[in-house]
Amino acid sequence: MTFAMLVAMTNPYHGGSMAKIQSWEVPDSFWERVGPLIPKPQRDPNMAYKRKSGGGRKPMPPRRIFEAIMYVLRTGCQWKALPKEIYGSPSAIHTHFMRWMHAGFFVTLWRAGLAEYDEMEGIAWSWQSIDGAMVKAPLAKEAVGRNPTDRGKKRNKTTPVSGRPWCPVIARRDRSQPA
């Protein structure tokens, strides 16, 4: 399975025979390409450890960690909302995610996918564009109400009991002018 096929398979609007697999599940053919890119865990040589290497619990399989990361990325859930019965400890998954990110795994995976797509379809490297928008959601006002940080000052909203608006007794002067 190619990287482009995986992207098409993870598209929620994609139909056909491949739609039976969940978008965060990793097929064997894709795992054969991703597995070798995953960095191996290394011990810090400057740190003194109480246990020898290989002691303690057995490590979580990298494929299950990768599927858990894909689950978070595809569903948009929080790390703590990962199903424990399927993927294990969410904090352990997040620790692996951070370790892999600092090791450059995701950049390597992205570059491998781009190179494969460039071979298959070809990327017009001489001309690229990007588009984006930074605007408020149009329906958010009705659902949420006014933004509490957009409040004005109290003196602008209410009038004093005397009915006369507040103003300073001393007129403002420019500091460059003498008093």
Side-chain angles (χ1 to χ4, degrees), residues 23-130:
S23 62
W24 56 84
E25 292 176 359
V26 180
D28 294 334
S29 55
F30 184 63
W31 179 248
E32 290 172 2
R33 294 176 170 192
V34 173
L37 300 176
I38 292 178
K40 304 289 182 238
Q42 295 178 351
R43 297 184 108 187
D44 186 6
N46 299 327
M47 191 169 167
Y49 294 97
K50 292 182 180 179
R51 292 187 187 155
K52 61 182 180 178
S53 181
R57 289 186 183 176
K58 295 293 177 199
M60 202 178 302
R63 183 173 181 160
R64 188 166 52 164
I65 297 168
F66 186 69
E67 279 190 359
I69 293 170
M70 293 297 289
Y71 182 89
V72 170
L73 294 176
R74 290 296 299 157
T75 62
C77 75
Q78 297 175 353
W79 288 104
K80 294 289 182 186
L82 267 170
K84 276 187 179 178
E85 56 278 356
I86 299 173
Y87 301 114
S89 168
S91 59
I93 299 291
H94 185 259
T95 301
H96 285 287
F97 170 75
M98 294 301 289
R99 187 171 55 83
W100 290 359
M101 185 184 67
H102 290 299
F105 165 68
F106 297 105
V107 173
T108 306
L109 182 64
W110 177 255
R111 287 182 179 157
L114 276 179
E116 185 174 327
Y117 185 80
D118 192 22
E119 280 180 20
M120 290 173 45
E121 300 287 327
I123 299 174
W125 292 109
S126 61
W127 187 88
Q128 295 292 315
S129 69
I130 190 166

Side-chain angles (χ1 to χ4, degrees), residues 1 4 6 8 12-13 42 53 59 63 93 99 110 112-113 126 141 147-148 150-151 165-166 168 171 173 177:
M1 174 176 291
L6 177 75
Y13 302 107
Q42 295 178 351
S53 181
R63 183 173 181 160
I93 299 291
R99 187 171 55 83
W110 177 255
S126 61
K141 263 189 178 172
N147 187 348
D150 290 343
R151 295 188 296 256
W166 180 87
R173 70 174 178 90
Q177 297 174 351

